Amino acid sequence: MRVLLVYPLFPKTFWSYEKILELVGRKVLLPPLGLVTVAAILPQTWEFRLVDRNIRAVTDEEWAWADLVIFSAMIVQKEDLIVQIHEAKRRGKRVAVGGPYPTSTPQELEDLGVDYFILDEGEITLPMLVEALERGETSGKFTSNGEKPDVTNTPIPRYDLLERDAYDSMSVQFSRGCPFQCEFCDIIVLYGRKPRTKTPEQLLAELQTLYDLGWRGSVFMVDDNFIGNKRNVKLLLKALQVWQRERDYPFRFDTEASLDLADDEELMDLMLECNFAAVFMGIETPDTESLQLTKKFQNTRSSLLDAIDKVTHRGLRVIAGFIVGFDGEKSGAGQRIVDFAEITGIPTTTFAMLQALPNTALWHRLEKEGRLRNPAANINQTTLMNFEPTRPVEEIAREYVDAFRALYDPVQYLNRVYRYFLKLGAPRVRPTPKFPEWIVIRALLLVCWRQGVVRETRWLFWHHLISMAIRNPAVVDQYITVCAHNEHFLEYRDIVKAQIEAQLQEYQRSQREPVEVAV
Ligand code: SF4
C-alpha cells in the first residue's frame, strides 16, 4: 500500500511567523507531528510519503503514486483541506481524513466523497482502518467510542519522512489530556481530563531519533499542558537532564503549561536544567469574574502578576495567551489586557476573540441558549466570534483590534521586551559555544538594520540593546530573537485589523437586512 500523507495549508496566523522564518531561511514553524505518528502506527511494510502544503504543493507524480491519501487537519486548516479532498477525488484517489477537525465535526465532510474517517486517537482507530482495508471495505467511519489509548505503546514518530530543513523547530509529545476544566477548551473533549503520559525512555528514544537524524536546536513539547501529571513529568525531566548533559545540550525546549507551574520550584528548576527556555501560559484575562465564569479556576487561586513574576525571575520566558469576549465582560477588557501585559512586561502575547469550538462545554451551553452564530464558519484569530456575546460584538471587535495594535506598536513592544528581559533569570545551562551559522548572522544584521537604522525606533533599539548587554548579558541572544518577532506582528496586526473590520461591516449589513416574516 502506498500512502500519501498530506497536511493542508494554514492561513496566516499569529503562529505562522512568516517574516521571522524568512529571516532564518525556514518555511514553517512546526512539523505535522500527528501525520508522522500516523505513519509510525500503520504497518511498516507499507510505503509512505509526506507533503506539508505549508512547504510546497503535492506534485503530479506524488498524486499518481498514491493508493491512499490521508489528510490530517485542525479547524483552521478546513478551507485547504476541502480543496485538497476535491483534488484527490478528482484524481480518483481513495481518501481518509483524521485529526482534531474531522473528529469534532465529521458531518461537515460527509458530502465530499471521503472514503474513510479515522476519528479520535489513531492508536485505536488506525488499526481499524487497516482491518477494513484488508477486508476489502471501500468506506468506513472508525471511532474509539470514548476509549483513550495507552500512549506508552505509541511508536516513535516517523520523523524521517519530514523535509526537516524547512522547519524552525521539531515537535515531540509527552502527554495528552489536561486535568482542568476551562469551558472553552477542546483539548479535554478530544483527549480527556486524565493526563496520559509516555515513559521517560520512550520520549528519550524519540529525541535520540531526532538527534541521529542530525536535528539540533529547537524542540517544542506540544503537550497542551506539559505539567498535567507533575509526578511523571518530573521523572521525565530527571532522565532528560542527564541525556542533554551527555550530548552537550543539543536541544532547546519550549512548551505549554498551566499557571500552577509557578507554585512548583523543583519543577521549574528541572525544566531549566533540561534547557527549557519559553513556556506558553493561558492567562486568558486579568478579569477574575470572567476566569470564574469560564471555569479557569486555577488562574484565580493566587495573584496572576506574582505567578508570572516567579516564573520569569526563575528564568523561563512566559508567552501569554489572552482572550476577549467572555460572557458578562465589562467594557474596556481589551485595554485591561494591554495594561496587564505592560505591567508584567510579557513580550509575546497571543490574543483572540472567544470562539465556541465544537463539542466544548461552551458550545453546548451556547447551543442550549440559542446563541451560536454561523457554527460551520472557519475559526481563527481574524474571524469574528461565532456566537452572540453578552455585549455588542462591535464593541468587542473594536477593543480587540485596538489592543492588538497597541501590544505590537513598535515602540511599546521594544520597551516591553526590554523591561521583561531585565528581570528574566539567566539560563542554567551553558552548552559549549559554537560559531553561529551565516544565516543567523545575516538575520541578526537584518534586524539591526530594520529596527536600529530604518525605523524610528533606532535610538531606543540601540539604547536597550547596549543596556541589556551590560545589565543582563546572559539573556542577550534571546532578547534579540524576541525583538525580531515584531517583524511578524507588525504586519499581522494590519491583517487582523483589515479582516476584522471587513467582517464587522458584513455583520452590520446582515443585522440591518429586514427579516422575512412568514404569514
Ligand atoms: S488549562 Fe489549558 S489545556 Fe487545560 S483545560 Fe484549560 S485551556 Fe484546556
XYZ file of all heavy atoms in Angstrom, residues 377-462:
742
model
N -18.626 28.103 10.404
C -17.626 29.050 9.888
C -16.221 28.626 10.297
O -16.029 27.887 11.258
C -17.905 30.437 10.440
N -15.252 29.126 9.524
C -13.862 28.882 9.900
C -13.571 29.670 11.173
O -14.184 30.704 11.417
C -12.953 29.346 8.761
C -11.670 28.580 8.768
O -11.327 27.953 9.773
N -10.942 28.614 7.679
N -12.644 29.199 11.979
C -12.357 29.890 13.238
C -10.867 30.149 13.315
O -10.064 29.218 13.271
C -12.774 29.013 14.446
C -14.294 28.851 14.475
C -12.280 29.616 15.747
C -14.775 27.925 15.574
N -10.493 31.420 13.392
C -9.109 31.733 13.708
C -9.042 33.140 14.279
O -10.073 33.731 14.599
C -8.179 31.510 12.505
C -8.480 32.440 11.356
O -8.613 33.638 11.568
N -8.595 31.905 10.157
N -7.824 33.680 14.366
C -7.691 34.967 15.055
C -8.187 36.152 14.243
O -8.223 37.262 14.737
C -6.228 35.198 15.409
C -5.841 34.413 16.614
C -4.355 34.359 16.746
O -3.629 34.223 15.768
N -3.886 34.464 17.966
N -8.537 35.901 12.989
C -9.038 37.018 12.198
C -10.512 36.807 11.849
O -11.007 37.356 10.877
C -8.210 37.194 10.908
O -8.197 35.942 10.226
C -6.805 37.634 11.194
N -11.200 35.987 12.641
C -12.634 35.834 12.392
C -13.417 36.366 13.584
O -12.976 36.252 14.735
C -13.024 34.353 12.152
O -12.430 33.549 13.167
C -12.555 33.870 10.813
N -14.592 36.921 13.274
C -15.459 37.412 14.357
C -15.948 36.240 15.197
O -15.928 35.097 14.746
C -16.684 38.100 13.755
C -16.585 39.565 13.338
C -17.971 40.060 12.969
C -16.008 40.438 14.444
N -16.421 36.543 16.383
C -16.899 35.480 17.272
C -18.041 34.709 16.595
O -18.837 35.297 15.877
C -17.422 36.112 18.561
C -16.381 36.987 19.190
S -17.080 38.048 20.433
C -17.204 36.897 21.787
N -18.092 33.387 16.852
C -19.125 32.585 16.200
C -20.354 32.400 17.086
O -21.081 31.428 16.964
C -18.554 31.230 15.752
C -18.070 30.390 16.926
O -17.979 30.884 18.052
N -17.775 29.135 16.675
N -20.559 33.324 18.018
C -21.776 33.285 18.846
C -22.135 34.715 19.240
O -21.331 35.642 19.066
C -21.560 32.413 20.082
C -20.553 32.953 21.064
C -20.947 33.741 22.149
C -19.196 32.682 20.910
C -20.010 34.253 23.041
C -18.257 33.180 21.806
C -18.667 33.967 22.872
N -23.351 34.886 19.754
C -23.785 36.221 20.180
C -23.270 36.475 21.590
O -23.688 35.807 22.527
C -25.323 36.307 20.179
C -25.965 36.191 18.806
C -25.589 37.316 17.854
O -25.125 38.381 18.326
O -25.718 37.117 16.628
N -22.358 37.433 21.752
C -21.843 37.710 23.102
C -22.835 38.528 23.923
O -23.858 38.974 23.405
C -20.580 38.516 22.817
C -20.770 39.112 21.475
C -21.728 38.255 20.712
N -22.509 38.760 25.200
C -23.452 39.490 26.057
C -23.285 41.003 25.939
O -24.071 41.746 26.489
C -23.303 39.072 27.538
O -21.931 39.252 27.911
C -23.720 37.642 27.764
N -22.217 41.471 25.295
C -22.157 42.902 24.973
C -21.971 43.029 23.457
O -21.628 42.036 22.797
C -21.061 43.619 25.767
C -19.650 43.152 25.520
C -18.695 43.877 26.449
N -17.358 43.344 26.342
C -16.295 44.049 25.995
N -16.412 45.335 25.723
N -15.103 43.484 25.937
N -22.191 44.211 22.896
C -22.191 44.303 21.431
C -20.902 43.771 20.803
O -19.799 44.108 21.256
C -22.332 45.806 21.182
C -22.921 46.354 22.433
C -22.441 45.499 23.547
N -21.069 42.957 19.772
C -19.909 42.351 19.118
C -19.007 43.441 18.512
O -17.781 43.303 18.472
C -20.365 41.296 18.069
C -20.979 41.931 16.841
C -19.227 40.382 17.675
N -19.628 44.559 18.096
C -18.843 45.669 17.514
C -17.860 46.207 18.557
O -16.716 46.521 18.254
C -19.743 46.831 17.067
C -20.648 46.524 15.895
C -21.989 45.945 16.309
O -22.098 45.427 17.453
O -22.923 45.996 15.502
N -18.343 46.307 19.794
C -17.504 46.858 20.872
C -16.318 45.905 21.157
O -15.178 46.340 21.284
C -18.368 47.026 22.124
C -17.661 47.675 23.285
C -18.575 47.790 24.505
O -19.682 48.352 24.378
O -18.167 47.302 25.576
N -16.619 44.620 21.190
C -15.549 43.634 21.473
C -14.521 43.634 20.339
O -13.308 43.651 20.573
C -16.152 42.214 21.649
C -17.120 42.205 22.830
C -15.057 41.173 21.852
C -17.913 40.928 22.966
N -15.039 43.665 19.099
C -14.134 43.635 17.935
C -13.244 44.882 17.927
O -12.043 44.798 17.647
C -14.944 43.549 16.641
N -13.808 46.037 18.241
C -13.036 47.279 18.260
C -11.935 47.200 19.332
O -10.777 47.519 19.103
C -14.001 48.460 18.498
C -13.418 49.826 18.683
C -12.503 50.308 17.568
N -13.047 50.105 16.234
C -12.302 49.906 15.154
N -10.990 49.882 15.234
N -12.849 49.718 13.973
N -12.320 46.712 20.513
C -11.329 46.589 21.592
C -10.220 45.607 21.198
O -9.053 45.814 21.508
C -12.002 46.083 22.868
C -12.838 47.140 23.566
C -13.400 46.634 24.889
O -12.980 45.559 25.359
O -14.277 47.320 25.431
N -10.629 44.548 20.514
C -9.665 43.524 20.093
C -8.626 44.116 19.127
O -7.418 43.980 19.325
C -10.442 42.372 19.448
C -9.590 41.301 18.824
C -8.714 40.543 19.581
C -9.675 41.020 17.458
C -7.934 39.551 18.999
C -8.911 40.032 16.873
C -8.043 39.299 17.641
O -7.278 38.320 17.065
N -9.141 44.797 18.098
C -8.244 45.385 17.093
C -7.340 46.436 17.749
O -6.113 46.447 17.529
C -9.068 46.000 15.931
C -8.180 46.837 15.020
C -9.756 44.900 15.134
N -7.921 47.295 18.574
C -7.122 48.349 19.215
C -6.051 47.755 20.129
O -4.905 48.216 20.154
C -8.031 49.289 20.039
C -8.895 50.156 19.133
O -8.629 50.177 17.921
O -9.844 50.788 19.644
N -6.436 46.740 20.885
C -5.476 46.133 21.819
C -4.351 45.452 21.043
O -3.178 45.547 21.417
C -6.189 45.125 22.724
N -4.713 44.771 19.959
C -3.708 44.097 19.144
C -2.687 45.115 18.623
O -1.481 44.902 18.669
C -4.380 43.394 17.954
C -3.728 42.102 17.599
C -4.370 40.885 17.794
C -2.440 42.096 17.078
C -3.750 39.693 17.475
C -1.814 40.906 16.754
C -2.483 39.707 16.959
N -3.215 46.244 18.150
C -2.324 47.274 17.603
C -1.442 47.862 18.702
O -0.261 48.119 18.491
C -3.137 48.372 16.913
C -3.834 47.860 15.671
C -4.416 48.970 14.851
N -3.397 49.764 14.173
C -2.717 49.358 13.111
N -2.932 48.165 12.608
N -1.821 50.133 12.546
N -2.021 48.054 19.874
C -1.231 48.635 20.971
C -0.132 47.663 21.417
O 1.015 48.061 21.629
C -2.147 48.971 22.144
N -0.479 46.387 21.523
C 0.504 45.404 22.007
C 1.715 45.321 21.082
O 2.830 45.091 21.536
C -0.149 44.022 22.092
C -1.087 43.787 23.275
C -1.861 42.486 23.102
C -0.324 43.775 24.594
N 1.471 45.492 19.777
C 2.565 45.336 18.832
C 2.983 46.649 18.180
O 3.621 46.642 17.120
C 2.230 44.223 17.826
C 2.218 42.907 18.577
C 1.036 42.259 18.884
C 3.402 42.386 19.082
C 1.038 41.090 19.649
C 3.421 41.229 19.842
C 2.237 40.589 20.122
O 2.254 39.454 20.881
N 2.647 47.743 18.841
C 3.193 49.033 18.422
C 4.720 48.941 18.580
O 5.210 48.474 19.624
C 2.630 50.124 19.336
C 3.355 51.434 19.120
O 3.002 52.120 18.165
O 4.296 51.731 19.904
N 5.496 49.350 17.562
C 6.948 49.100 17.600
C 7.644 49.646 18.858
O 8.507 48.975 19.423
C 7.471 49.801 16.356
C 6.313 49.987 15.468
C 5.077 49.997 16.307
N 7.251 50.853 19.304
C 7.916 51.429 20.477
C 7.473 50.702 21.756
O 8.294 50.299 22.591
C 7.600 52.948 20.573
C 8.118 53.521 21.879
C 8.207 53.667 19.375
N 6.149 50.514 21.870
C 5.615 49.835 23.060
C 6.222 48.429 23.188
O 6.561 47.977 24.271
C 4.096 49.748 22.925
C 3.369 49.759 24.264
C 1.901 50.173 24.095
O 1.597 51.025 23.273
N 1.027 49.583 24.866
N 6.340 47.770 22.040
C 6.865 46.401 22.045
C 8.329 46.381 22.505
O 8.707 45.616 23.405
C 6.726 45.781 20.653
C 7.174 44.338 20.591
C 6.369 43.315 21.067
C 8.415 43.991 20.065
C 6.776 41.989 21.030
C 8.839 42.662 20.015
C 8.012 41.678 20.495
O 8.426 40.368 20.468
N 9.138 47.258 21.900
C 10.568 47.272 22.265
C 10.764 47.575 23.752
O 11.596 46.968 24.424
C 11.304 48.336 21.450
C 11.987 47.904 20.166
C 12.780 49.053 19.579
C 12.916 46.704 20.395
N 9.959 48.510 24.264
C 10.072 48.859 25.687
C 9.673 47.689 26.580
O 10.285 47.428 27.607
C 9.184 50.064 26.015
C 9.847 51.366 25.588
O 11.077 51.461 25.548
N 9.056 52.363 25.254
N 8.613 46.987 26.136
C 8.133 45.865 26.958
C 9.166 44.731 26.978
O 9.470 44.162 28.025
C 6.806 45.380 26.383
C 5.932 44.721 27.391
C 4.503 44.552 26.934
N 4.361 43.670 25.800
C 3.819 44.020 24.648
N 3.355 45.247 24.481
N 3.719 43.158 23.656
N 9.709 44.418 25.795
C 10.718 43.349 25.717
C 11.905 43.708 26.625
O 12.416 42.866 27.373
C 11.217 43.140 24.269
C 12.249 42.029 24.199
C 10.063 42.823 23.345
N 12.277 44.950 26.573
C 13.434 45.406 27.369
C 13.164 45.233 28.868
O 13.971 44.637 29.589
C 13.684 46.884 27.033
C 14.759 47.550 27.843
C 16.078 47.119 27.765
C 14.455 48.624 28.680
C 17.074 47.741 28.503
C 15.443 49.250 29.418
C 16.750 48.803 29.333
O 17.733 49.417 30.056
N 12.010 45.738 29.315
C 11.699 45.631 30.753
C 11.635 44.168 31.186
O 12.076 43.789 32.245
C 10.354 46.310 31.062
C 10.377 47.821 30.962
C 9.206 48.417 31.731
N 7.933 47.838 31.360
C 7.208 48.193 30.302
N 7.647 49.152 29.512
N 6.058 47.601 30.032
N 11.061 43.338 30.311
C 10.895 41.930 30.672
C 12.240 41.220 30.789
O 12.513 40.510 31.756
C 10.027 41.222 29.622
C 9.651 39.826 30.035
C 8.620 39.605 30.936
C 10.348 38.716 29.548
C 8.284 38.328 31.343
C 10.015 37.435 29.949
C 8.982 37.248 30.841
O 8.666 35.986 31.255
N 13.103 41.441 29.804
C 14.387 40.736 29.799
C 15.322 41.219 30.886
O 16.233 40.486 31.283
C 15.032 40.793 28.412
C 14.540 39.686 27.525
C 13.323 39.795 26.886
C 15.268 38.515 27.374
C 12.838 38.758 26.092
C 14.798 37.479 26.584
C 13.587 37.607 25.936
N 15.096 42.423 31.385
C 15.936 42.874 32.506
C 15.678 42.018 33.741
O 16.551 41.806 34.565
C 15.647 44.344 32.835
C 16.322 45.385 31.932
C 15.961 46.787 32.402
C 17.847 45.216 31.888
N 14.443 41.511 33.876
C 14.147 40.711 35.076
C 14.184 39.201 34.825
O 13.997 38.408 35.744
C 12.807 41.134 35.687
C 11.609 40.961 34.797
C 10.331 41.487 35.489
C 9.144 41.356 34.546
N 7.892 41.801 35.128
N 14.388 38.794 33.553
C 14.410 37.355 33.251
C 15.660 36.696 33.839
O 16.770 37.174 33.633
C 14.381 37.157 31.722
C 14.386 35.717 31.209
C 13.110 34.978 31.604
C 14.538 35.681 29.684
N 15.446 35.596 34.570
C 16.574 34.875 35.160
C 17.498 34.304 34.092
O 17.056 33.978 32.986
N 18.769 34.168 34.423
C 19.752 33.664 33.450
C 19.539 32.169 33.201
O 19.095 31.445 34.086
C 21.156 33.897 33.984
N 19.860 31.688 31.983
C 19.759 30.239 31.710
C 20.652 29.453 32.670
O 21.711 29.947 33.078
C 20.259 30.102 30.276
C 20.293 31.468 29.701
C 20.390 32.431 30.838
N 20.223 28.238 33.026
C 21.019 27.428 33.968
C 22.102 26.638 33.266
O 23.053 26.193 33.894
C 20.118 26.408 34.675
C 19.034 27.000 35.510
C 19.583 27.597 36.801
N 18.488 28.273 37.468
C 17.629 27.672 38.263
N 17.756 26.383 38.518
N 16.651 28.351 38.813
N 21.899 26.368 31.968
C 22.882 25.512 31.304
C 23.602 26.318 30.240
O 23.040 27.228 29.650
C 22.223 24.272 30.657
C 21.590 23.399 31.714
C 21.204 24.660 29.604
N 24.829 25.975 30.042
C 25.663 26.693 29.060
C 26.322 25.682 28.140
O 27.397 25.158 28.450
C 26.736 27.502 29.785
C 26.206 28.762 30.427
C 26.307 29.923 29.458
N 25.227 30.873 29.624
C 24.877 31.754 28.704
N 25.462 31.786 27.563
N 23.916 32.608 28.914
N 25.681 25.368 27.006
C 26.347 24.449 26.070
C 27.657 25.066 25.578
O 27.813 26.294 25.626
C 25.356 24.341 24.909
C 24.103 25.019 25.355
C 24.421 25.894 26.507
N 28.584 24.245 25.127
C 29.843 24.774 24.585
C 29.528 25.763 23.458
O 28.798 25.413 22.528
C 30.689 23.619 24.004
O 30.723 22.589 24.981
C 32.091 24.063 23.658
N 30.052 26.996 23.533
C 29.711 27.978 22.495
C 30.186 27.530 21.114
O 31.253 26.941 20.985
C 30.442 29.251 22.937
C 30.942 28.988 24.309
C 30.975 27.508 24.535
N 29.324 27.782 20.127
C 29.701 27.440 18.733
C 29.590 28.703 17.911
O 28.783 29.585 18.209
C 28.749 26.385 18.158
C 28.881 25.042 18.815
C 27.992 24.020 18.118
C 27.956 22.711 18.890
N 27.173 22.753 20.116
N 30.384 28.760 16.856
C 30.293 29.939 15.989
C 28.944 29.901 15.264
O 28.590 28.871 14.688
C 31.449 29.947 14.986
C 31.618 31.291 14.345
C 32.171 32.349 15.065
C 31.175 31.517 13.045
C 32.295 33.601 14.490
C 31.301 32.772 12.467
C 31.858 33.815 13.193
N 28.151 30.987 15.322
C 26.825 30.942 14.689
C 26.901 30.760 13.181
O 27.863 31.189 12.537
C 26.205 32.302 15.041
C 27.323 33.149 15.533
C 28.451 32.265 15.947
N 25.851 30.096 12.641
C 25.806 29.894 11.182
C 25.630 31.248 10.494
O 25.081 32.184 11.086
C 24.613 29.010 10.821
C 24.732 27.590 11.297
C 23.427 26.831 11.073
O 22.777 27.050 10.036
O 23.074 26.043 11.960
N 26.004 31.291 9.201
C 25.925 32.541 8.434
C 24.484 33.074 8.413
O 24.235 34.266 8.552
C 26.465 32.328 7.024
C 26.011 33.392 6.064
C 25.276 33.205 4.933
C 26.219 34.808 6.174
N 25.010 34.420 4.340
C 25.580 35.427 5.083
C 26.877 35.616 7.110
C 25.571 36.799 4.886
C 26.865 37.002 6.905
C 26.221 37.578 5.805
N 23.497 32.167 8.296
C 22.092 32.594 8.195
C 21.656 33.330 9.472
O 20.883 34.282 9.433
C 21.171 31.369 7.886
C 19.756 31.812 7.518
C 21.085 30.380 9.005
C 19.491 31.862 6.061
N 22.200 32.912 10.609
C 21.853 33.548 11.888
C 22.488 34.943 11.948
O 21.848 35.921 12.365
C 22.307 32.669 13.084
C 22.036 33.354 14.411
C 21.633 31.312 13.026
N 23.749 35.017 11.490
C 24.435 36.328 11.481
C 23.683 37.285 10.545
O 23.421 38.445 10.877
C 25.900 36.162 11.012
C 26.644 35.253 11.982
C 26.599 37.513 10.896
C 28.025 34.842 11.523
N 23.245 36.748 9.403
C 22.518 37.574 8.427
C 21.201 38.069 9.045
O 20.836 39.243 8.913
C 22.261 36.719 7.183
C 21.666 37.476 6.035
C 21.430 36.531 4.835
N 20.296 36.992 4.067
C 19.039 36.639 4.302
N 18.743 35.803 5.271
N 18.070 37.107 3.545
N 20.504 37.173 9.742
C 19.230 37.551 10.372
C 19.459 38.652 11.408
O 18.707 39.634 11.483
C 18.585 36.332 11.022
N 20.521 38.499 12.181
C 20.850 39.495 13.215
C 21.126 40.862 12.575
O 20.609 41.896 13.027
C 22.070 38.998 14.002
C 22.634 39.943 15.035
C 21.657 40.098 16.187
C 23.968 39.435 15.561
N 21.898 40.831 11.494
C 22.216 42.097 10.814
C 20.956 42.749 10.235
O 20.780 43.969 10.318
C 23.244 41.860 9.691
C 24.640 41.434 10.173
C 25.533 41.087 8.986
C 25.292 42.531 11.026
N 20.063 41.906 9.703
C 18.819 42.451 9.126
C 17.940 43.115 10.191
O 17.360 44.177 9.973
C 18.026 41.324 8.456
C 18.305 41.124 6.975
C 17.622 39.855 6.474
C 17.799 42.314 6.164
N 17.849 42.451 11.376
C 17.038 43.021 12.462
C 17.662 44.352 12.905
O 16.948 45.348 13.108
C 16.939 42.029 13.650
C 16.260 42.680 14.852
C 16.171 40.789 13.229
N 18.979 44.367 13.060
C 19.660 45.609 13.458
C 19.440 46.703 12.412
O 19.238 47.866 12.751
C 21.163 45.375 13.650
S 21.517 44.344 15.055
N 19.445 46.317 11.145
C 19.236 47.296 10.070
C 17.810 47.864 10.137
O 17.603 49.064 10.139
C 19.513 46.624 8.718
C 19.092 47.443 7.533
C 18.035 47.212 6.708
C 19.711 48.640 7.043
N 17.947 48.168 5.754
C 18.958 49.073 5.913
C 20.824 49.386 7.443
C 19.277 50.213 5.193
C 21.145 50.530 6.709
C 20.383 50.940 5.609
N 16.820 46.940 10.218
C 15.430 47.405 10.174
C 15.052 48.192 11.430
O 14.467 49.261 11.361
C 14.476 46.218 10.033
C 14.550 45.595 8.655
C 13.602 44.415 8.562
N 13.878 43.631 7.362
C 13.408 42.422 7.158
N 12.640 41.837 8.060
N 13.688 41.779 6.045
N 15.368 47.608 12.610
C 14.902 48.240 13.853
C 15.876 49.304 14.365
O 15.480 50.217 15.076
C 14.665 47.176 14.940
C 13.630 46.148 14.513
C 13.147 45.248 15.643
O 13.410 45.492 16.811
N 12.431 44.200 15.299
N 17.161 49.157 13.983
C 18.156 50.072 14.527
C 18.613 51.146 13.560
O 19.386 52.029 13.938
N 18.170 51.081 12.270
C 18.572 52.115 11.303
C 17.345 52.689 10.578
O 17.088 53.889 10.615
C 19.577 51.551 10.258
C 19.953 52.615 9.240
C 20.829 51.015 10.956
N 16.554 51.791 9.973
C 15.469 52.250 9.099
C 14.308 52.870 9.898
O 13.832 53.947 9.568
C 14.959 51.081 8.228
C 13.814 51.534 7.334
C 16.092 50.520 7.386
N 13.875 52.180 10.951
C 12.665 52.642 11.659
C 12.965 53.737 12.669
O 14.106 53.921 13.101
C 12.014 51.466 12.399
C 11.424 50.489 11.453
C 10.365 49.606 12.075
N 10.160 48.516 11.121
C 10.443 47.243 11.365
N 10.857 46.880 12.559
N 10.290 46.346 10.433
N 11.850 54.369 13.102
C 12.002 55.446 14.090
C 12.443 54.920 15.455
O 12.774 55.685 16.348
C 10.676 56.188 14.238
C 10.423 57.119 13.064
C 9.071 57.780 13.138
O 8.410 57.658 14.190
O 8.685 58.412 12.148
N 12.413 53.600 15.604
C 12.798 53.004 16.889
C 14.324 52.994 17.075
O 14.816 52.453 18.066
C 12.310 51.538 16.956
O 12.747 50.876 15.767
C 10.796 51.451 17.078
N 15.065 53.572 16.094
C 16.521 53.330 16.058
C 17.235 53.654 17.374
O 18.032 52.853 17.857
C 17.174 54.052 14.883
C 17.009 55.538 14.814
C 17.554 56.064 13.477
N 16.671 55.831 12.370
C 15.677 56.660 12.007
N 15.457 57.772 12.688
N 14.910 56.386 10.993
N 16.939 54.791 18.008
C 17.685 55.156 19.228
C 17.346 54.232 20.378
O 18.196 53.786 21.146
C 17.439 56.620 19.615
C 17.925 57.552 18.543
C 17.177 58.398 17.792
C 19.274 57.681 18.075
N 17.946 59.043 16.871
C 19.258 58.629 17.023
C 20.493 57.079 18.405
C 20.400 58.997 16.335
C 21.634 57.457 17.713
C 21.580 58.399 16.697
N 16.039 53.945 20.453
C 15.548 53.053 21.509
C 16.197 51.668 21.372
O 16.636 51.054 22.343
C 14.033 52.931 21.316
C 13.168 52.608 22.518
C 13.332 53.666 23.586
C 11.704 52.510 22.081
N 16.255 51.191 20.125
C 16.791 49.860 19.859
C 18.228 49.747 20.373
O 18.577 48.827 21.115
C 16.721 49.571 18.350
C 17.330 48.253 17.965
C 16.615 47.071 18.130
C 18.630 48.171 17.461
C 17.187 45.850 17.793
C 19.199 46.950 17.123
C 18.477 45.797 17.285
N 19.084 50.715 19.988
C 20.495 50.630 20.378
C 20.657 50.878 21.877
O 21.457 50.209 22.535
C 21.341 51.616 19.572
C 21.430 51.198 18.128
C 20.902 51.834 17.059
C 22.035 49.992 17.621
N 21.140 51.126 15.897
C 21.833 49.990 16.213
C 22.713 48.914 18.195
C 22.294 48.965 15.394
C 23.181 47.895 17.367
C 22.967 47.930 15.991
